[in-house]
C-alpha cells in the first residue's frame, strides 16, 4: 500500500464489557499507528474481530463472520481474530480459516503495534498468544472511548479463580492489577475531559490488589469517587468470595458510589456451587446480601445464574429458585450451562439434556419476571437523579439511567431540552419488569 493511501480497519466486538473496553484500547492503538477506522468490512483493508468464547454460541459467531467474508480476501483484505477465541484456539484458527493472518489473545495486546507492522508488511501468520505468562496490563494513552460522558477503566485483568466451567482463566491469563496511582491518574484525566461516570472493570474487580500496596479495593472506589468532577462510580464484576463488608461501608460513605452491585451467584445449591468450584456456600453468599440489604441507601442487586450444570438435580434447581425469592434481585442474567474446551467440568458425568436446560431457564426467567415486576412497582412516585442518554425518536421520550443502573424513559416539561450527559431529576410514574417511565421535574 502506498504511503498516501491510509491504512483502514474495521473492528467488530463480541462479548462482555471487558471486550468492549479492550476494543476501545485496540482502536486507539490502531489510530495511533496511522490507521483509519471505517464502518464496513467492504471499506476496510484490515478486518478485526474481538471475540468471546464464554459460551459455545458466542464462539460460533466469529467463525460465521469469517465464513461470510472469506471471498473478500481475494480483494487483498487481511483478517485478524483478537480476544478469547484467539487465545483459546491459537494457531488452529489458521487451519480452520486460512484467510486469517493475525491471531492475538487479550494478554498480548500490548504487542499490537509490532504485530501491526508485520501485518502491514504482508506477513500471513502473525500471532500473539501469551496465555498465563504475562504480568503486564494493557495500558495505553490512546484509548478511543466511544461515550464522552461515561467511560471504563480496567483495574485488574485475568482471573485466578478457575471455576470449573469457565474459560476465562485460560483466555485472559493470570490475575494482575494496576497500581492505584495509575487508576486514579486515568480517572483524573477522564474527569478533565468531561467524563462524570466511571466504571471500574475487572473479571473479578473486587479481587483487586494494589501492586504498590497503597489501597484496598474499597479505598480505591472511594478515591475514584473523590476525583473532582466524577459523579458516579460503578464496578463490575464482583466475586462473592472476595466481597468484603468494607465495600458496602464505602458505598454508605460516598454518594458518588452507585447504588448497584452485580454479584454473580451461579447457583443456589451448595452441591452445585461445590462442583463449580465457586469457593463460597449459599450461606456465605446470603451473608453478603445481608450486608447490602442493611446499607443506608437501597442497593440494586443483580446476578448471573447458570442452569443445567452437570449433576444439577431438580432439588438443586429449586434451591436456586428459592434463592431468587429470598434475595429479590433487581435483574438476573440466566445462562444454560455450555461445556467449554479444556475446562474441568467437561469431564463431569450426569450432563443435563438441552431440553431440560431450556425448561429450567424458562422457569428461572418466569420466576424472576414476577419478582422484578413487584420490585419495580416500588419505584413509582419516587424521585431519582437520571443521567440523560438520548432521545427515543420513535416514541418521542427521553432515555437515561438511574444510579441503580435502571433504564428510565421520561417526558420533559414543554420547551426544555435536556443535554445528553447531564443529570436531571425524574419522578417515576409507571413501572415495567425491565424498565421505568417517568416525568422530568424542574
Ligand atoms: N456456561 C454457561 N454460562 C457460563 N458463564 C461463564 N461460563 C459459562 C459456561 N461455560 C456465565 C457465568 C458468568 C457469566 C459472565 O457467564 O454466569 O458469570
Ligand atoms: Fe470465570 Fe469464575 Fe473467573 Fe468469573 S471467577 S471469570 S466465572 S473462572
Amino acid at each position: 500500500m502506498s504511503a498516501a493511501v491510509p491504512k483502514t480497519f474495521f473492528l467488530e466486538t463480541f462479548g462482555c464489557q471487558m471486550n468492549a473496553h479492550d476494543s476501545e484500547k485496540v482502536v486507539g492503538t490502531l489510530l495511533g499507528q496511522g490507521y483509519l477506522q471505517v464502518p464496513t468490512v467492504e471499506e476496510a483493508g484490515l478486518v478485526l474481530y474481538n471475540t468471546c468464547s464464554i459460551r459455545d454460541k458466542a464462539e460460533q459467531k466469529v467463525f460465521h463472520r469469517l465464513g461470510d467474508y472469506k471471498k473478500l480476501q481475494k480483494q487483498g483484505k487481511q483478517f485478524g481474530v483478537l480476544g478469547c477465541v484467539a487465545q483459546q484456539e491459537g494457531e488452529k484458527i489458521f487451519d480452520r480459516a486460512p484467510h486469517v493472518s493475525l491471531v492475538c489473545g487479550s494478554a498480548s495486546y500490548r504487542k499490537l503495534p509490532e504485530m501491526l507492522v508485520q501485518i502491514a508488511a504482508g506477513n500471513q501468520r502473525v500471532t500473539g498468544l501469551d496465555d498465563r505468562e504475562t504480568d503486564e496490563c494493557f495500558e495505553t494513552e490512546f484509548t478511543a472511548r466511544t461515550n464522552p460522558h461515561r467511560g471504563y477503566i480496567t483495574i485488574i485483568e485475568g482471573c485466578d479463580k478457575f471455576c470449573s466451567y469457565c474459560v476465562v482463566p485460560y483466555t485472559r491469563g493470570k490475575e494482575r492489577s494496576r497500581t492505584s496511582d495509575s487508576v486514579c491518574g486515568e480517572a483524573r484525566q477522564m474527569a478533565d475531559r468531561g467524563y462524570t461516570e466511571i466504571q471500574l472493570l475487572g473479571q473479578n474487580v473486587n479481587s483487586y490488589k494494589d501492586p504498590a500496596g497503597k489501597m484496598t479495593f474499597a479505598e480505591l472506589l472511594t478515591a475514584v469517587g473523590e476525583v473532582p468532577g466524577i459523579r458516579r462510580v460503578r464496578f463490575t464484576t464482583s466475586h462473592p468470595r472476595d466481597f468484603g463488608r468494607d465495600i458496602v461501608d464505602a458505598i454508605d460513605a460516598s454518594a458518588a458510589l452507585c447504588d448497584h452491585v452485580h454479584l454473580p451467584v451461579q447457583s443456589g445449591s451448595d452441591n452445585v456451587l461445590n462442583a463449580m468450584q465457586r469457593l463460597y456456600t449459599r450461606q456465605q453468599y446470603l451473608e453478603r446480601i445481608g450486608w447490602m440489604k442493611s446499607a443506608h441507601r437501597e442497593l440494586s442487586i443483580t446476578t448471573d445464574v447458570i442452569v443445567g450444570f452437570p449433576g444439577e438435580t431438580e432439588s438443586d434447581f429449586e434451591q436456586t429458585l428459592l434463592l431468587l425469592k429470598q434475595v429479590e434481585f433487581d435483574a438476573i442474567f440466566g445462562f444454560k450451562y455450555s461445556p467449554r474446551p479444556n475446562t474441568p467440568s467437561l469431564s463431569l458425568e450426569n450432563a443435563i439434556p438441552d431440553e431440560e436446560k431450556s425448561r429450567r431457564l424458562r422457569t428461572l426467567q418466569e420466576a424472576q419476571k414476577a419478582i422484578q415486576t413487584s420490585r419495580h412497582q416500588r419505584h413509582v412516585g419516587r424521585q431519582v437523579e437520571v443521567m440523560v442518554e438520548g432521545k427515543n425518536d420513535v416514541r418521542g421520550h427521553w432515555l437515561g439511567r438511574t444510579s441503580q443502573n435502571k433504564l428510565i424513559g421520561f417526558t420533559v416539561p414543554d420547551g426544555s431540552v435536556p443535554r445528553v450527559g447531564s443529570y436531571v431529576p425524574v419522578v417515576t410514574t409507571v413501572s415495567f419488569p425491565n424498565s421505568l417511565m417517568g416525568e422530568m421535574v424542574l
Side-chain angles (χ1 to χ4, degrees), residues 54 158-170 172 175 203-204 207 237-240 264 266 276-279 304 306:
I54 196 93
C159 177
D160 286 347
K161 290 285 189 294
F162 290 95
C163 300
S164 63
Y165 52 80
C166 187
V167 286
V168 169
Y170 313 97
R172 285 193 166 271
E175 217 162 78
Q203 223 68 49
N204 286 308
S207 309
T237 292
S238 297
H239 191 288
Q266 313 299 2
M276 288 177 165
Q277 295 167 25
R278 283 292 288 175
L279 311 173
D304 294 344
I306 297 176

Side-chain angles (χ1 to χ4, degrees), residues 16 53-56 163-168 203 237 262 264-266 278 303-307 309 333-340 343 345:
C16 62
S53 64
I54 196 93
R55 287 169 293 276
D56 185 50
C163 300
S164 63
Y165 52 80
C166 187
V167 286
V168 169
Q203 223 68 49
T237 292
H262 184 64
V265 65
Q266 313 299 2
R278 283 292 288 175
T303 201
D304 294 344
V305 174
I306 297 176
V307 297
F309 190 74
F333 299 88
F335 307 105
K336 293 195 277 186
Y337 168 70
S338 170
R340 303 282 59 220
T343 56
S345 66

